[in-house]
Structures are given as structure tokens and as C-alpha cells.
Amino acid sequence: PDPFPVPGGSLPTVLMNVLQTLAPNDPFIDIDSVVAMIDFILDLAEIPPLIDLEEGKFGFFKGTNATKSWWKINSGKYDLENYNKVLEFDGMTRLPDSWWDNFGPTPSANKSGVPGICHDIIGTDGMAYSPSVDKDADVWLFNDQLCRSIWLSFEKEVDIKGIKTYQFSPDPSVFSMSNPNNYCYCPNVEKCAVAVPENDTWDMSGCDMCIDGLLSLQGCQGAPVIMSTPHYLDGDPMLAEAIDGIEPDREKHVTYLNLEPMTGMPLQAHKRIQISVPVFPSTYFDCLKKAKQVVFPLVWVDEGADIDDENIKKAKGLLVTPFLAVDIGSGVMIGAGGVLLISVILHSIFGKK
């Protein structure tokens, strides 16, 4: 649906109606030339696929069907620790400067030209990790929908139909604006952050748009899209309090990966994100004249994959059964050895008599 319906539909048509209303008989305004110039400018502009100015519409997943993005990953041939790590995304080894501010986590870092991690492509795509997963180390993944890399921390061990896995999920610091590594994700941070020289930190109290749990994708998507966890899980409490019906639930709304630790293979994966838009009072629209300034949720999605019964049997045959056989065999051999040892001892005792 068109979120901003206007008479005439397309942007050039609407502009022509406006010009004709404002200057119907002005000899100095050639309406057709003005509209042609606007069309020419729009053709030159790089408009993201989710915006269609010709039709006066936009959609959050518009233009993404049947599209391709190019990923260059490490095969792990020379170092298995780097297996499946992303080397390039669409030919880029780092994210564009237009996506995020080049802003350091501390004033000294910023002054030295150390921009933080916002432009770094770190980790895998989440489809696989190197073998021997360590529960004490965070795992990283690059998510092109979020336009950033995130880290996931160990939560607990989970049994999936007889196979032990490690569950990793993002902790609250991943999307917290109190985390200095996230300052570069704050919109217009260079204008609102104030340096505190005494302890080499930033005073972020003046950054009204830096809110825990929110990620503005204006830079990389070209539209006022705000990503978060569903129901603003782990976000600033004011976000949930402002909207009726928002009830964050960790079991339902957290993103997680269940990795088989020996192989690094995910047996379950669920990426849960919410799409919202900022709403401001406006005198141009009657319905927004009395509106409060809020971040309004539109939809949240759960992109999940769970291993099926056929593949769980194959996985158990490779991961569980051989080790179970070794354990049973070892137990039998130890038992047999114990019996043999006892027999030798008894024979030596009673044989002498």
C-alpha cells in the first residue's frame, strides 16, 4: 500500500499539479520544462530499490526478489580457523563511508583516525563456522540486511534430538548505545557527541537519536527504516511503553544459532528482526497533527531453519554413533581387562596353594 497517497500518483504528476496551482499563468514558469528537469535529475540520482519515486511508493522488501549479492568467503584451505569467513561483500572489503559515520569509540581514537568497527566486515554469513567451537569465545556474523556485523555470545547448551549444541545469541550490548563500539551507528553522532578529555570518553547525552536497541538504516537503505529486535527486546524501555501491545519475550524474540561444537555446523538458526519507522507530528497531514513522536513498529520476521528428521539421523550417524561405539567398546575392553586381571591374581594366589 501507498503510505503517502497523493492525487495523481507519480511524483512528476504531483509536482505538475502543484506548479499549475501555484503559478497557472506565470509567463516565467514553463511547467513542462520544470517537470522534464525533475525527471532528468531523478534519472541521475541513485535511488535505492525500495523507493519508487515514479509511482510515489516505497516498500521495505521491494526490489529484493531475484536479486544477487556477491560474497567472497575464505575456504579454510590454509587455515581452518578462517573457514567461511566473509572476505568481500559485493566486491567491498569494508562497508561504504555513506552507510555509517567514521567515528571513533573514544575522542583520542577519533582524533587518531581510528573509526571504530562500523565499516568492518567480520565473521561468517552464519551458515557455517570453523570446527571446534569455543563456548568462551564470541562468534561473529555479517548480516547484509542490518548492514553491519554483529557478535553472538554463548548462552547455554541445547540438546537437539540427541545431539549436543551450543546456543549463541546477541547480548544486549550488541545494540546498546552505551557501548562505545556502537557510537558510529548513531545518526549524526559527530554533531551531538561531546568529548570529555578527563577520562577520554564521549558524553552522548545530547544525542537524542542514539537509542538503545535501535539501528537506523537511513545511510545504507536510503529511507527512514529502523531495525531492532522484535518488540524492542533489550531496547530502551520507553520504546515498548510508548506503543500498546508491545511485550518483549526472550523466548519468542531473540535471535540465536545452535552450533554443533565439533563441526561448527548450525543445526538450528533463527534470525528475528523488526522493521519500524519514525513518526513525528506534522501539520501537513491531519492524521499526524496530534501524533506523538514515536518509533512505530510495522512488522517483525523470523527467518528460521531447523534440521529435519532425515538429516538429524545422518548427523547422528556421523557425530554420535561412532563416539558411542568407541565409548561402548572402551567400556567392554576395560571390563574384559579387569576380569582378566582378577583371574590372573586369583590364579596366582590359589595356584601356589
Side-chain angles (χ1 to χ4, degrees):
D2 188 348
F4 301 109
V6 290
S10 69
L11 183 62
T13 303
V14 172
L15 291 174
M16 179 178 289
N17 292 337
V18 172
L19 288 171
Q20 288 175 338
T21 301
L22 295 177
N25 299 311
D26 193 327
F28 297 102
I29 297 180
D30 185 345
I31 295 177
D32 292 334
S33 298
V34 172
V35 173
M37 179 62 71
I38 293 171
D39 280 335
F40 176 72
I41 294 173
L42 292 178
D43 289 339
L44 293 179
E46 293 186 7
I47 307 298
L50 56 80
I51 298 176
D52 188 344
L53 291 180
E54 288 292 328
E55 296 295 329
K57 300 178 180 180
F58 77 92
F60 290 108
F61 296 108
K62 182 181 181 300
T64 58
N65 285 341
T67 56
K68 294 180 179 180
S69 57
W70 300 97
W71 299 64
K72 182 178 180 180
I73 64 172
N74 194 312
S75 66
K77 179 179 180 179
Y78 300 105
D79 186 355
L80 205 54
E81 287 293 319
N82 293 322
Y83 172 67
N84 209 45
K85 288 186 177 179
V86 181
L87 301 175
E88 294 181 7
F89 171 69
D90 278 343
M92 301 179 292
T93 57
R94 67 188 302 273
L95 301 178
D97 289 340
S98 60
W99 285 18
W100 310 109
D101 286 332
N102 285 301
F103 191 77
T106 64
S108 61
N110 191 56
K111 188 175 181 180
S112 302
V114 180
I117 66 171
C118 294
H119 296 89
D120 296 339
I121 299 176
I122 312 172
T124 76
D125 59 356
M127 299 296 292
Y129 287 85
S130 60
S132 300
V133 176
D134 183 3
K135 66 171 67 174
D136 295 323
D138 294 338
V139 298
W140 283 76
L141 66 86
F142 172 69
N143 187 295
D144 57 331
Q145 289 181 329
L146 294 179
C147 307
R148 63 165 289 185
S149 301
I150 64 172
W151 64 94
L152 291 82
S153 303
F154 175 77
E155 285 283 330
K156 58 185 177 181
E157 292 188 4
V158 176
D159 183 276
I160 300 179
K161 298 181 179 179
I163 299 179
K164 182 183 73 174
T165 65
Y166 292 167
Q167 184 172 106
F168 289 83
S169 62
D171 63 41
S173 66
V174 173
F175 299 107
S176 171
M177 284 301 172
S178 59
N179 181 353
N181 286 322
N182 287 333
Y183 289 167
C184 45
Y185 295 118
C186 173
N188 302 315
V189 63
E190 293 183 349
K191 298 179 180 179
C192 62
V194 178
V196 182
E198 292 79 12
N199 52 11
D200 193 27
T201 59
W202 293 107
D203 179 1
M204 305 292 288
S205 59
C207 298
D208 296 334
M209 298 301 294
C210 302
I211 302 173
D212 287 349
L214 300 185
L215 184 69
S216 173
L217 301 187
Q218 179 79 43
C220 68
Q221 297 287 3
V225 180
I226 294 177
M227 290 288 195
S228 71
T229 52
H231 287 243
Y232 304 117
L233 177 70
D234 294 329
D236 192 308
M238 71 173 185
L239 297 170
E241 293 169 359
I243 306 291
D244 291 340
I246 298 296
E247 298 178 357
D249 184 325
R250 181 159 295 277
E251 288 296 320
K252 296 178 181 178
H253 302 142
V254 73
T255 291
Y256 67 87
L257 283 175
N258 286 341
L259 301 178
E260 197 287 312
M262 186 164 55
T263 62
M265 178 178 65
L267 300 188
Q268 288 181 336
H270 284 264
K271 180 178 66 178
R272 293 159 173 168
I273 56 176
Q274 178 174 292
I275 300 171
S276 305
V277 294
V279 175
F280 301 93
S282 174
T283 57
Y284 295 102
F285 301 94
D286 291 339
C287 61
L288 294 177
K289 286 182 179 180
K290 297 182 180 180
K292 295 181 180 180
Q293 182 173 333
V294 296
V295 177
F296 190 79
L298 295 181
V299 64
W300 74 270
V301 295
D302 180 355
E303 298 181 28
D306 299 271
I307 190 169
D308 57 24
D309 290 337
E310 180 181 352
N311 285 305
I312 202 73
K313 290 180 181 178
K314 294 179 181 178
K316 289 179 73 173
L318 296 172
L319 299 170
V320 178
T321 306
F323 292 95
L324 184 61
V326 170
D327 291 341
I328 294 174
S330 299
V332 170
M333 293 178 67
I334 291 172
V339 171
L340 181 61
L341 180 60
I342 293 172
S343 300
V344 171
I345 293 172
L346 292 174
H347 180 270
S348 64
I349 294 174
F350 293 104
K352 292 179 180 180
K353 293 182 177 181

PDB file of all heavy atoms in Angstrom, residues 100-125:
ATOM      1  N   TRP A 100      27.747   4.494   7.376  1.00  0.00           N
ATOM      2  CA  TRP A 100      27.924   4.823   8.789  1.00  0.00           C
ATOM      3  C   TRP A 100      28.969   5.919   8.938  1.00  0.00           C
ATOM      4  O   TRP A 100      29.817   6.101   8.070  1.00  0.00           O
ATOM      5  CB  TRP A 100      28.367   3.589   9.594  1.00  0.00           C
ATOM      6  CG  TRP A 100      27.538   2.366   9.376  1.00  0.00           C
ATOM      7  CD1 TRP A 100      27.896   1.235   8.718  1.00  0.00           C
ATOM      8  CD2 TRP A 100      26.176   2.160   9.790  1.00  0.00           C
ATOM      9  NE1 TRP A 100      26.867   0.326   8.701  1.00  0.00           N
ATOM     10  CE2 TRP A 100      25.799   0.877   9.358  1.00  0.00           C
ATOM     11  CE3 TRP A 100      25.249   2.928  10.489  1.00  0.00           C
ATOM     12  CZ2 TRP A 100      24.538   0.344   9.590  1.00  0.00           C
ATOM     13  CZ3 TRP A 100      24.003   2.404  10.732  1.00  0.00           C
ATOM     14  CH2 TRP A 100      23.653   1.126  10.285  1.00  0.00           C
ATOM     15  N   ASP A 101      28.906   6.640  10.063  1.00  0.00           N
ATOM     16  CA  ASP A 101      29.886   7.688  10.323  1.00  0.00           C
ATOM     17  C   ASP A 101      31.239   7.080  10.670  1.00  0.00           C
ATOM     18  O   ASP A 101      31.328   6.026  11.312  1.00  0.00           O
ATOM     19  CB  ASP A 101      29.428   8.571  11.499  1.00  0.00           C
ATOM     20  CG  ASP A 101      28.297   9.506  11.113  1.00  0.00           C
ATOM     21  OD1 ASP A 101      28.224   9.877   9.936  1.00  0.00           O
ATOM     22  OD2 ASP A 101      27.479   9.846  11.990  1.00  0.00           O
ATOM     23  N   ASN A 102      32.299   7.750  10.237  1.00  0.00           N
ATOM     24  CA  ASN A 102      33.650   7.368  10.653  1.00  0.00           C
ATOM     25  C   ASN A 102      33.923   8.036  11.995  1.00  0.00           C
ATOM     26  O   ASN A 102      34.497   9.118  12.071  1.00  0.00           O
ATOM     27  CB  ASN A 102      34.677   7.812   9.599  1.00  0.00           C
ATOM     28  CG  ASN A 102      34.657   6.924   8.373  1.00  0.00           C
ATOM     29  OD1 ASN A 102      34.871   5.718   8.464  1.00  0.00           O
ATOM     30  ND2 ASN A 102      34.384   7.514   7.219  1.00  0.00           N
ATOM     31  N   PHE A 103      33.506   7.374  13.037  1.00  0.00           N
ATOM     32  CA  PHE A 103      33.545   7.969  14.373  1.00  0.00           C
ATOM     33  C   PHE A 103      34.178   6.988  15.337  1.00  0.00           C
ATOM     34  O   PHE A 103      33.730   5.843  15.480  1.00  0.00           O
ATOM     35  CB  PHE A 103      32.128   8.322  14.827  1.00  0.00           C
ATOM     36  CG  PHE A 103      32.068   9.173  16.059  1.00  0.00           C
ATOM     37  CD1 PHE A 103      32.332  10.525  16.003  1.00  0.00           C
ATOM     38  CD2 PHE A 103      31.750   8.608  17.285  1.00  0.00           C
ATOM     39  CE1 PHE A 103      32.272  11.320  17.138  1.00  0.00           C
ATOM     40  CE2 PHE A 103      31.692   9.383  18.438  1.00  0.00           C
ATOM     41  CZ  PHE A 103      31.960  10.744  18.365  1.00  0.00           C
ATOM     42  N   GLY A 104      35.223   7.435  16.029  1.00  0.00           N
ATOM     43  CA  GLY A 104      35.948   6.562  16.930  1.00  0.00           C
ATOM     44  C   GLY A 104      35.241   6.337  18.247  1.00  0.00           C
ATOM     45  O   GLY A 104      34.459   7.187  18.701  1.00  0.00           O
ATOM     46  N   PRO A 105      35.515   5.228  18.931  1.00  0.00           N
ATOM     47  CA  PRO A 105      34.864   4.918  20.210  1.00  0.00           C
ATOM     48  C   PRO A 105      35.289   5.841  21.348  1.00  0.00           C
ATOM     49  O   PRO A 105      34.580   5.942  22.350  1.00  0.00           O
ATOM     50  CB  PRO A 105      35.280   3.468  20.487  1.00  0.00           C
ATOM     51  CG  PRO A 105      36.525   3.268  19.698  1.00  0.00           C
ATOM     52  CD  PRO A 105      36.399   4.140  18.485  1.00  0.00           C
ATOM     53  N   THR A 106      36.431   6.499  21.196  1.00  0.00           N
ATOM     54  CA  THR A 106      36.907   7.475  22.187  1.00  0.00           C
ATOM     55  C   THR A 106      37.386   8.712  21.451  1.00  0.00           C
ATOM     56  O   THR A 106      37.711   8.646  20.254  1.00  0.00           O
ATOM     57  CB  THR A 106      38.064   6.903  23.030  1.00  0.00           C
ATOM     58  OG1 THR A 106      39.193   6.652  22.164  1.00  0.00           O
ATOM     59  CG2 THR A 106      37.653   5.612  23.730  1.00  0.00           C
ATOM     60  N   PRO A 107      37.455   9.881  22.126  1.00  0.00           N
ATOM     61  CA  PRO A 107      37.958  11.087  21.460  1.00  0.00           C
ATOM     62  C   PRO A 107      39.370  10.914  20.916  1.00  0.00           C
ATOM     63  O   PRO A 107      39.681  11.401  19.817  1.00  0.00           O
ATOM     64  CB  PRO A 107      37.895  12.146  22.571  1.00  0.00           C
ATOM     65  CG  PRO A 107      36.793  11.684  23.470  1.00  0.00           C
ATOM     66  CD  PRO A 107      36.889  10.183  23.463  1.00  0.00           C
ATOM     67  N   SER A 108      40.238  10.221  21.677  1.00  0.00           N
ATOM     68  CA  SER A 108      41.606  10.037  21.196  1.00  0.00           C
ATOM     69  C   SER A 108      41.642   9.138  19.963  1.00  0.00           C
ATOM     70  O   SER A 108      42.398   9.403  19.019  1.00  0.00           O
ATOM     71  CB  SER A 108      42.479   9.442  22.308  1.00  0.00           C
ATOM     72  OG  SER A 108      41.991   8.175  22.721  1.00  0.00           O
ATOM     73  N   ALA A 109      40.817   8.093  19.955  1.00  0.00           N
ATOM     74  CA  ALA A 109      40.758   7.218  18.787  1.00  0.00           C
ATOM     75  C   ALA A 109      40.217   7.979  17.579  1.00  0.00           C
ATOM     76  O   ALA A 109      40.728   7.843  16.462  1.00  0.00           O
ATOM     77  CB  ALA A 109      39.885   6.000  19.085  1.00  0.00           C
ATOM     78  N   ASN A 110      39.187   8.776  17.802  1.00  0.00           N
ATOM     79  CA  ASN A 110      38.594   9.544  16.715  1.00  0.00           C
ATOM     80  C   ASN A 110      39.602  10.537  16.138  1.00  0.00           C
ATOM     81  O   ASN A 110      39.719  10.703  14.913  1.00  0.00           O
ATOM     82  CB  ASN A 110      37.355  10.274  17.222  1.00  0.00           C
ATOM     83  CG  ASN A 110      36.532  10.865  16.101  1.00  0.00           C
ATOM     84  OD1 ASN A 110      36.114  10.168  15.189  1.00  0.00           O
ATOM     85  ND2 ASN A 110      36.297  12.169  16.171  1.00  0.00           N
ATOM     86  N   LYS A 111      40.367  11.193  17.018  1.00  0.00           N
ATOM     87  CA  LYS A 111      41.364  12.159  16.577  1.00  0.00           C
ATOM     88  C   LYS A 111      42.499  11.482  15.815  1.00  0.00           C
ATOM     89  O   LYS A 111      43.092  12.061  14.890  1.00  0.00           O
ATOM     90  CB  LYS A 111      41.921  12.907  17.784  1.00  0.00           C
ATOM     91  CG  LYS A 111      42.824  14.082  17.431  1.00  0.00           C
ATOM     92  CD  LYS A 111      43.237  14.835  18.682  1.00  0.00           C
ATOM     93  CE  LYS A 111      44.124  16.034  18.330  1.00  0.00           C
ATOM     94  NZ  LYS A 111      44.530  16.782  19.556  1.00  0.00           N
ATOM     95  N   SER A 112      42.775  10.231  16.176  1.00  0.00           N
ATOM     96  CA  SER A 112      43.855   9.481  15.520  1.00  0.00           C
ATOM     97  C   SER A 112      43.403   8.822  14.225  1.00  0.00           C
ATOM     98  O   SER A 112      44.200   8.161  13.556  1.00  0.00           O
ATOM     99  CB  SER A 112      44.403   8.415  16.477  1.00  0.00           C
ATOM    100  OG  SER A 112      44.873   8.998  17.677  1.00  0.00           O
ATOM    101  N   GLY A 113      42.135   8.959  13.901  1.00  0.00           N
ATOM    102  CA  GLY A 113      41.619   8.362  12.668  1.00  0.00           C
ATOM    103  C   GLY A 113      41.218   6.906  12.795  1.00  0.00           C
ATOM    104  O   GLY A 113      41.107   6.206  11.790  1.00  0.00           O
ATOM    105  N   VAL A 114      41.005   6.443  14.040  1.00  0.00           N
ATOM    106  CA  VAL A 114      40.533   5.070  14.261  1.00  0.00           C
ATOM    107  C   VAL A 114      39.012   5.114  14.308  1.00  0.00           C
ATOM    108  O   VAL A 114      38.428   5.592  15.287  1.00  0.00           O
ATOM    109  CB  VAL A 114      41.096   4.487  15.570  1.00  0.00           C
ATOM    110  CG1 VAL A 114      40.589   3.061  15.770  1.00  0.00           C
ATOM    111  CG2 VAL A 114      42.624   4.519  15.554  1.00  0.00           C
ATOM    112  N   PRO A 115      38.318   4.634  13.270  1.00  0.00           N
ATOM    113  CA  PRO A 115      36.884   4.902  13.125  1.00  0.00           C
ATOM    114  C   PRO A 115      35.947   3.939  13.824  1.00  0.00           C
ATOM    115  O   PRO A 115      34.742   4.026  13.648  1.00  0.00           O
ATOM    116  CB  PRO A 115      36.695   4.811  11.608  1.00  0.00           C
ATOM    117  CG  PRO A 115      37.699   3.787  11.184  1.00  0.00           C
ATOM    118  CD  PRO A 115      38.867   3.923  12.109  1.00  0.00           C
ATOM    119  N   GLY A 116      36.420   2.997  14.593  1.00  0.00           N
ATOM    120  CA  GLY A 116      35.510   2.026  15.179  1.00  0.00           C
ATOM    121  C   GLY A 116      35.266   0.866  14.235  1.00  0.00           C
ATOM    122  O   GLY A 116      35.929   0.717  13.207  1.00  0.00           O
ATOM    123  N   ILE A 117      34.286   0.023  14.555  1.00  0.00           N
ATOM    124  CA  ILE A 117      34.082  -1.230  13.815  1.00  0.00           C
ATOM    125  C   ILE A 117      32.924  -1.173  12.818  1.00  0.00           C
ATOM    126  O   ILE A 117      32.637  -2.176  12.158  1.00  0.00           O
ATOM    127  CB  ILE A 117      33.841  -2.392  14.790  1.00  0.00           C
ATOM    128  CG1 ILE A 117      32.520  -2.196  15.554  1.00  0.00           C
ATOM    129  CG2 ILE A 117      35.006  -2.558  15.760  1.00  0.00           C
ATOM    130  CD1 ILE A 117      32.102  -3.399  16.371  1.00  0.00           C
ATOM    131  N   CYS A 118      32.271  -0.038  12.695  1.00  0.00           N
ATOM    132  CA  CYS A 118      31.028   0.007  11.917  1.00  0.00           C
ATOM    133  C   CYS A 118      31.215  -0.329  10.439  1.00  0.00           C
ATOM    134  O   CYS A 118      30.276  -0.789   9.788  1.00  0.00           O
ATOM    135  CB  CYS A 118      30.371   1.378  12.054  1.00  0.00           C
ATOM    136  SG  CYS A 118      29.794   1.730  13.728  1.00  0.00           S
ATOM    137  N   HIS A 119      32.400  -0.096   9.895  1.00  0.00           N
ATOM    138  CA  HIS A 119      32.635  -0.379   8.484  1.00  0.00           C
ATOM    139  C   HIS A 119      33.324  -1.713   8.257  1.00  0.00           C
ATOM    140  O   HIS A 119      33.599  -2.086   7.108  1.00  0.00           O
ATOM    141  CB  HIS A 119      33.471   0.744   7.863  1.00  0.00           C
ATOM    142  CG  HIS A 119      32.798   2.076   7.840  1.00  0.00           C
ATOM    143  ND1 HIS A 119      32.900   2.969   8.877  1.00  0.00           N
ATOM    144  CD2 HIS A 119      31.975   2.655   6.927  1.00  0.00           C
ATOM    145  CE1 HIS A 119      32.194   4.055   8.594  1.00  0.00           C
ATOM    146  NE2 HIS A 119      31.616   3.881   7.431  1.00  0.00           N
ATOM    147  N   ASP A 120      33.589  -2.447   9.343  1.00  0.00           N
ATOM    148  CA  ASP A 120      34.310  -3.715   9.221  1.00  0.00           C
ATOM    149  C   ASP A 120      33.354  -4.853   8.863  1.00  0.00           C
ATOM    150  O   ASP A 120      32.240  -4.930   9.388  1.00  0.00           O
ATOM    151  CB  ASP A 120      35.024  -4.055  10.529  1.00  0.00           C
ATOM    152  CG  ASP A 120      36.111  -3.042  10.879  1.00  0.00           C
ATOM    153  OD1 ASP A 120      36.564  -2.344   9.954  1.00  0.00           O
ATOM    154  OD2 ASP A 120      36.493  -2.958  12.060  1.00  0.00           O
ATOM    155  N   ILE A 121      33.806  -5.718   7.978  1.00  0.00           N
ATOM    156  CA  ILE A 121      33.072  -6.944   7.642  1.00  0.00           C
ATOM    157  C   ILE A 121      33.745  -8.069   8.411  1.00  0.00           C
ATOM    158  O   ILE A 121      34.865  -8.476   8.101  1.00  0.00           O
ATOM    159  CB  ILE A 121      33.092  -7.209   6.128  1.00  0.00           C
ATOM    160  CG1 ILE A 121      32.414  -6.060   5.382  1.00  0.00           C
ATOM    161  CG2 ILE A 121      32.399  -8.525   5.811  1.00  0.00           C
ATOM    162  CD1 ILE A 121      32.473  -6.184   3.865  1.00  0.00           C
ATOM    163  N   ILE A 122      33.053  -8.562   9.442  1.00  0.00           N
ATOM    164  CA  ILE A 122      33.651  -9.518  10.370  1.00  0.00           C
ATOM    165  C   ILE A 122      32.792 -10.771  10.444  1.00  0.00           C
ATOM    166  O   ILE A 122      31.559 -10.692  10.481  1.00  0.00           O
ATOM    167  CB  ILE A 122      33.788  -8.919  11.789  1.00  0.00           C
ATOM    168  CG1 ILE A 122      34.427  -7.525  11.740  1.00  0.00           C
ATOM    169  CG2 ILE A 122      34.605  -9.832  12.693  1.00  0.00           C
ATOM    170  CD1 ILE A 122      34.418  -6.812  13.078  1.00  0.00           C
ATOM    171  N   GLY A 123      33.451 -11.929  10.491  1.00  0.00           N
ATOM    172  CA  GLY A 123      32.742 -13.179  10.728  1.00  0.00           C
ATOM    173  C   GLY A 123      32.278 -13.867   9.461  1.00  0.00           C
ATOM    174  O   GLY A 123      32.700 -13.546   8.346  1.00  0.00           O
ATOM    175  N   THR A 124      31.351 -14.815   9.633  1.00  0.00           N
ATOM    176  CA  THR A 124      30.809 -15.587   8.519  1.00  0.00           C
ATOM    177  C   THR A 124      29.429 -15.039   8.152  1.00  0.00           C
ATOM    178  O   THR A 124      28.976 -14.039   8.704  1.00  0.00           O
ATOM    179  CB  THR A 124      30.688 -17.078   8.894  1.00  0.00           C
ATOM    180  OG1 THR A 124      29.556 -17.270   9.752  1.00  0.00           O
ATOM    181  CG2 THR A 124      31.943 -17.566   9.616  1.00  0.00           C
ATOM    182  N   ASP A 125      28.766 -15.736   7.237  1.00  0.00           N
ATOM    183  CA  ASP A 125      27.384 -15.374   6.906  1.00  0.00           C
ATOM    184  C   ASP A 125      26.392 -16.095   7.808  1.00  0.00           C
ATOM    185  O   ASP A 125      25.186 -15.996   7.605  1.00  0.00           O
ATOM    186  CB  ASP A 125      27.089 -15.674   5.436  1.00  0.00           C
ATOM    187  CG  ASP A 125      27.280 -17.148   5.095  1.00  0.00           C
ATOM    188  OD1 ASP A 125      27.710 -17.919   5.984  1.00  0.00           O
ATOM    189  OD2 ASP A 125      27.020 -17.530   3.938  1.00  0.00           O
TER     190      ASP A 125
END
